[in-house]
């Protein structure tokens, strides 16, 4: 059963039938999926959801598909890690990491949006899927397309990390690298989508794709025991995930799954590409595009499609935005690894570093619940941290050589604040 009623322009309110369409024909505003919330409220309960398989489709009434899920049956429902050692370091009481670095099958939050978009592409009868990507989206579209048996074209900037390029190539899509940045890639793909009529998951299927990001928010609330976090720090690239987590929280309240409670949402960006945070600091909703220059390539989008909606969602929640330098991002990656044993990519280093900054600024109080979004995996971007990792010490396979090394180094200290689990 589906509760989807159609598409609607977010600017002028014009309604459309469900189709592979992302902009309004009258005002060029973005289209959004509409639902029958009263019907959903009558159909779902905490118990029905809890009894379902642990994947993102457990919230299917709030997702824009009209048939059975075709893909993503192992995606989503990633851990919400109680981060006690990181909390101690940051001097806060209640801290969690929502860890999409272990999302199936391509280790980023993009497995959520792609599961929904590709299921929709199959429903709509497409045989070819495509995307404009900073890396993670390409990985996820390539993998899900392989499993669904669809033809796949991906478009990326020509300066991506090797792990991201190989991480798509292994699934044998047609990969096209564009000399330029993501914004150049996206511009070209809009023209290709028009001409070739493929399912571009983040262009003509964008209304469905973005809905998949709500599942990150649904899971956080469910994993907190059907409660909203008081503070949540979320990275911003094109501006999908942040407003969709805000929407997820509102929907959970609307359909009676959680009680209404204040939940402040903060946008995290790299200083080398912070068009949304800059606008928040100017107290403006006009985004001035920037030319990205940061190691956080997966979130380096200088002209974010949905940046305006990030600003609106942050404002409505009573949150804020902050950016951090590349050095702070690297320190954030190390901090999370050292305290929680989680290896994230620079996007996650960004949210960790921004959370630290917001706590130090006093914007996030130390005694309230905080969720840090970790959206991608560090094994894909080893270039970012490799220079700061000590080289292994090479010795012959002889006990006396190890003894000598051990004595020379001195005994390494045990952590004084080990926690259980
Ligand atoms: C795509 C991406 C994001 C966020 O992108 P939005 O377009 O703002 O949703 C965050 N982190 C990682 C690792 C990503 O790949
Ligand atoms: Zn319109």
């Amino acid at each position: 059963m589906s509760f989807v009623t159609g598409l609607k322009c977010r600017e002028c309110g014009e309604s459309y039938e469900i189709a592979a369409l992302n902009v309004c024909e009258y005002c060029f505003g973005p289209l959004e999926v509409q639902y029958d919330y009263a019907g959903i409220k009558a159909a779902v309960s905490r118990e029905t959801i809890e009894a379902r398989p642990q994947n993102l489709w457990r919230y299917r009434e709030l997702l824009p598909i009209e048939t059975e899920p075709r893909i993503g049956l192992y995606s989503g429902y990633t851990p919400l890690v109680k981060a006690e050692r990181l909390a101690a370091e940051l001097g806060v009481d209640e801290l969690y990491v929502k860890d999409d670095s272990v999302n199936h099958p391509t280790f980023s939050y993009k497995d959520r949006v792609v599961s929904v978009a590709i299921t929709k592409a199959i429903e709509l009868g497409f045989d070819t899927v495509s995307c404009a990507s900073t890396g993670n989206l390409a990985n996820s579209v390539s993998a899900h397309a392989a499993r669904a048996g669809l033809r796949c074209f991906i478009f990326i900037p020509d300066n991506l990390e090797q792990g991201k390029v190989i991480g798509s190539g292994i699934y044998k899509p047609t990969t096209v690298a564009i000399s330029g940045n993501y914004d150049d890639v996206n511009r070209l793909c809009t023209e290709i989508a028009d001409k070739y009529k493929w399912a571009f998951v983040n262009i003509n299927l964008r209304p469905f794709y973005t809905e998949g990001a709500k599942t990150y928010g649904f899971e956080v609330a469910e994993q907190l025991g059907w409660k909203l976090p008081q503070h949540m720090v979320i990275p911003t690239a094109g501006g999908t995930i942040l407003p969709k987590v805000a929407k997820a929280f509102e929907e959970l309240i609307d359909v009676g799954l959680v009680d209404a409670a204040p939940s402040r949402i903060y946008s995290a960006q790299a200083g080398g590409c912070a068009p949304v945070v800059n606008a928040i600091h100017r107290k403006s909703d006009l985004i001035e595009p920037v030319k990205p220059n940061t190691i956080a390539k997966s979130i380096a989008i200088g002209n974010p499609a949905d940046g305006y909606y990030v600003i609106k969602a942050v404002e409505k929640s009573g949150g804020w935005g902050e950016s951090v330098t590349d050095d702070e991002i690297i320190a954030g990656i190390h901090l999370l690894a050292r305290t929680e044993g989680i290896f994230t990519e620079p996007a996650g280093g960004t949210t960790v570093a921004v959370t630290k900054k917001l706590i130090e600024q006093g914007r996030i109080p130390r005694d309230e619940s905080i969720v840090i979004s970790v959206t991608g995996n560090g094994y894909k971007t080893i270039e970012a941290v490799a220079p700061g990792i000590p080289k292994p010490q090479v010795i012959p396979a002889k006990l006396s050589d190890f003894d000598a090394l051990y004595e020379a180094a001195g005994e390494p200290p045990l952590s004084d604040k080990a926690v259980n689990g």
Side-chain angles (χ1 to χ4, degrees), residues 76-146:
Y77 215 80
T78 56
L80 182 73
V81 176
K82 182 111 205 268
E84 293 184 358
R85 280 168 47 79
L86 181 57
E89 286 255 349
L90 298 180
V92 296
D93 293 344
E94 192 184 351
L95 181 68
Y96 305 86
V97 170
K98 177 59 176 170
D99 188 9
D100 264 18
S101 77
V102 291
N103 211 346
H104 179 88
T106 63
F107 307 101
S108 87
Y109 120 80
K110 296 301 196 301
D111 289 322
R112 301 174 180 280
V113 283
V114 170
S115 296
V116 174
I118 291 193
T119 292
K120 198 71 203 174
I122 297 168
E123 263 183 16
L124 294 172
F126 286 97
D127 61 7
T128 305
V129 293
S130 189
C131 66
S133 173
T134 57
N136 281 320
L137 180 59
N139 296 170
S140 187
V141 170
S142 306
H144 284 94

Side-chain angles (χ1 to χ4, degrees), residues 403-414:
D403 289 343
L405 181 149
Y406 187 77
E407 269 152 42
E411 194 174 343
L414 279 174

